[in-house]
């Protein structure tokens, strides 16, 4: 009796084990059949198909609904690393080249010295516009460089409170000085566009090194080839800065996050190229060419300077009558 009870228990246990294994294996098979990841949308696939992932929100600012934007990572590297390098290399590179040029070649002298006779070059309006442009450009450059380099260079020197106060002021100065700058360039465009149209004389001027390389003085009208390049670079640069700057001034008004990032990079690259060009211009206007400064200071230039650098224009001015030449 005891034996048969023990046997019955054994048979029952084996049976229970078999049933349990069968159920467990069936359950396991059922679990394997439904792979929750097989059909689920993976973050990577989503990001490959859509340039950003947007969530739902209730506040009116719909741009805040953006949860992920892979392009933003590229923009961050460009903004935090590349632009710093490009800006540093261009600005310090131009300054180094000009210093080398100054020490090797020295300032361009007026051959035969000053004649003592002056010839009018720019009137009061032209000079006023030029200096409005120069002052506003200087403010735009310093405050713009603060946006890119301020946190690295200035913050450790003056501390967080002073840097924060200066940066808020600099931001407004940047925004407002863009107005006289753009209006000044538009006015100069109206006044000087005709005299800056390219001619065959400019090609010869470039071929002969523009008087800067070698000892030749190629003929030029009121503006030589190099000055025409500066003029059109200033006009096109201003158009590019103003257009991209408007996107930054009115964030998300006409575009989304990616448009804002593109506008920021375009604005910075144009500004860096512009600053490099203007540093070279300031060198020639203020240091690199004897007699050049007078043109934008008093408005009159020495006759010998005019004959050396703008021979065709000087001849034309002399032909116009003796009152074109006045004592200094
Ligand atoms: C401190 C800054 C500056 C100095 C010392 C300076 C100096 C001069 C001088 C001396 C001239 C007359 C050259 C001549 O008679 O042929 C001139 C002309 C001119 N400047 Fe400036 N300038 C400065 C800033 C700027 C800026 C910021 C711009 C534009 C963004 C600019 C655009 C021009 C243009 C288009 C001309 C006429 C073409 C030329 O002469 O190259 N200048 N500048």
């Amino acid at each position: 009796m005891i034996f048969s009870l023990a046997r019955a228990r054994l048979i029952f246990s084996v049976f229970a084990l078999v049933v349990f294994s069968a159920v467990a294996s069936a359950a396991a098979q059922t679990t394997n059949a439904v792979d929750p990841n097989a059909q689920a949308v993976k973050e990577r696939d989503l990001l490959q198909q859509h340039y950003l992932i947007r969530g739902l929100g209730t506040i009116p600012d719909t741009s805040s609904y953006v949860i992920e934007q892979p392009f933003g990572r590229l923009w961050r590297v460009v903004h935090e690393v590349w632009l710093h390098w490009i800006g540093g290399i261009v600005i310090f590179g131009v300054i180094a080249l000009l210093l080398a040029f100054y020490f090797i070649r020295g300032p361009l002298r007026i051959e035969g010295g000053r004649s003592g006779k002056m010839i009018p070059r720019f009137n009061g309006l032209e000079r006023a516009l030029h200096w409005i442009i120069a002052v506003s450009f200087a403010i735009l450059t310093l405050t713009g460089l603060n946006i890119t380099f301020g946190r690295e260079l200035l913050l450790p020197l003056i501390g967080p409170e002073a840097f924060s106060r200066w940066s808020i002021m600099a931001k407004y100065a940047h925004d407002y000085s863009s107005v006289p700058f753009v209006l000044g360039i538009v006015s100069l465009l109206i006044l000087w566009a005709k005299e800056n149209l390219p001619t065959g004389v400019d090609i010869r001027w470039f071929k002969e090194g523009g008087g800067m390389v070698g000892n030749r003085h190629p003929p030029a009208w009121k503006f030589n080839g190099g000055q025409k390049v500066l003029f059109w670079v200033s006009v096109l640069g201003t158009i590019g800065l103003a257009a991209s700057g408007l996107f930054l001034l009115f964030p998300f008004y006409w575009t989304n996050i990616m448009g804002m990032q593109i506008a920021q990079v375009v604005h910075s690259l144009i500004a860096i190229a512009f600053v490099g060009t203007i540093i070279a211009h300031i060198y020639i206007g203020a240091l690199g060419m004897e007699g050049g400064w007078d043109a934008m200071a008093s408005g009159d230039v020495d006759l010998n300077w005019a004959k050396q650098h703008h021979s065709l224009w000087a001849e034309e001015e002399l032909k116009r009558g003796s009152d074109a030449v006045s004592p200094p």
Side-chain angles (χ1 to χ4, degrees):
M1 182 69 190
I2 292 170
F3 172 77
S4 57
L5 194 63
R7 218 172 147 192
R9 259 196 212 141
L10 183 69
I11 291 168
F12 178 76
S13 301
V14 170
F15 178 74
L17 197 68
V18 169
V19 170
F20 178 77
S21 312
V23 169
S25 126
Q29 272 172 20
T30 321
T31 314
N32 284 343
V34 183
D35 179 355
N37 290 321
Q39 297 301 319
V41 180
K42 291 205 181 90
E43 187 194 7
R44 236 175 97 210
D45 299 338
L46 248 186
L47 288 175
Q48 271 166 5
Q49 282 177 31
H50 305 276
Y51 76 96
L52 52 81
I53 297 177
R54 197 185 287 274
L56 292 175
T58 49
I59 59 170
D61 178 12
T62 51
S63 60
S64 68
Y65 303 170
V66 174
I67 296 169
E68 280 200 56
Q69 189 227 10
F71 186 79
R73 288 175 204 141
L74 173 64
W75 173 79
R76 195 170 51 202
V77 176
V78 172
H79 184 256
E80 300 294 318
V81 184
W82 294 7
L83 284 178
H84 292 214
W85 278 100
I86 297 172
I89 289 170
V90 169
I91 293 171
F92 287 110
V94 170
I95 293 174
L97 282 178
L98 292 172
L99 277 175
F101 192 78
Y102 182 78
F103 286 114
I104 294 167
R105 168 92 207 233
L108 298 182
R109 299 280 172 213
I110 301 176
E111 280 174 11
R114 289 178 184 262
S115 68
K117 285 180 181 168
M118 303 300 276
I119 176 169
R121 184 154 169 80
F122 295 120
N123 63 30
L125 174 67
E126 290 171 314
R127 280 178 286 141
L129 287 171
H130 177 270
W131 290 119
I132 288 172
I133 292 169
V135 170
S136 47
F137 189 86
I139 298 172
L140 286 165
T141 303
L142 290 177
T143 52
L145 288 177
N146 183 60
I147 298 170
T148 307
F149 294 106
R151 217 158 15 115
E152 276 168 336
L153 301 182
L154 207 57
L155 176 63
L157 288 181
I158 61 174
E161 276 174 27
F163 180 70
S164 157
R165 271 198 304 273
W166 145 251
S167 292
I168 293 168
M169 208 182 71
K171 184 247 177 306
Y172 284 109
H174 194 85
D175 293 354
Y176 286 110
S177 53
S178 64
V179 177
F181 177 74
V182 172
L183 292 180
I185 291 284
V186 171
S187 311
L188 279 195
L189 174 67
I190 295 166
L191 286 177
W192 289 351
K194 206 172 140 217
E195 284 159 316
N196 275 288
L197 293 176
T199 65
V201 177
D202 303 323
I203 298 172
R204 183 172 160 200
W205 187 88
F206 280 113
K207 275 189 185 158
E208 295 187 14
M212 301 293 281
V213 186
N215 291 317
R216 294 215 227 148
H217 298 297
W221 293 102
K222 180 159 186 177
F223 296 116
N224 60 40
Q227 290 174 315
K228 289 179 184 178
V229 168
L230 172 78
F231 179 80
W232 292 113
V233 163
S234 302
V235 170
L236 295 179
T238 304
I239 293 172
L241 285 178
S244 53
L246 276 176
F247 280 92
L248 302 176
L249 206 54
F250 300 100
F252 298 100
Y253 197 78
W254 298 290
T255 186
N256 57 12
I257 180 78
M258 193 165 160
M260 291 299 300
Q261 289 157 346
I262 292 172
Q264 190 278 324
V265 173
V266 168
H267 196 77
S268 306
L269 288 177
I270 297 175
I272 290 168
F274 210 164
V275 169
T277 311
I278 293 301
I279 291 174
H281 169 69
I282 293 172
Y283 166 77
I284 298 170
L287 258 185
M289 179 188 277
E290 185 186 1
W293 172 260
D294 301 343
M296 276 301 166
S298 67
D300 298 335
V301 286
D302 192 274
L303 187 58
N304 282 352
W305 179 91
K307 283 180 179 168
Q308 185 175 327
H309 298 293
H310 300 272
S311 54
L312 301 171
W313 171 76
E315 271 169 37
E316 198 183 45
E317 287 295 303
L318 288 174
K319 264 191 231 149
R320 286 209 309 178
S322 55
D323 56 336
V325 178
S326 55

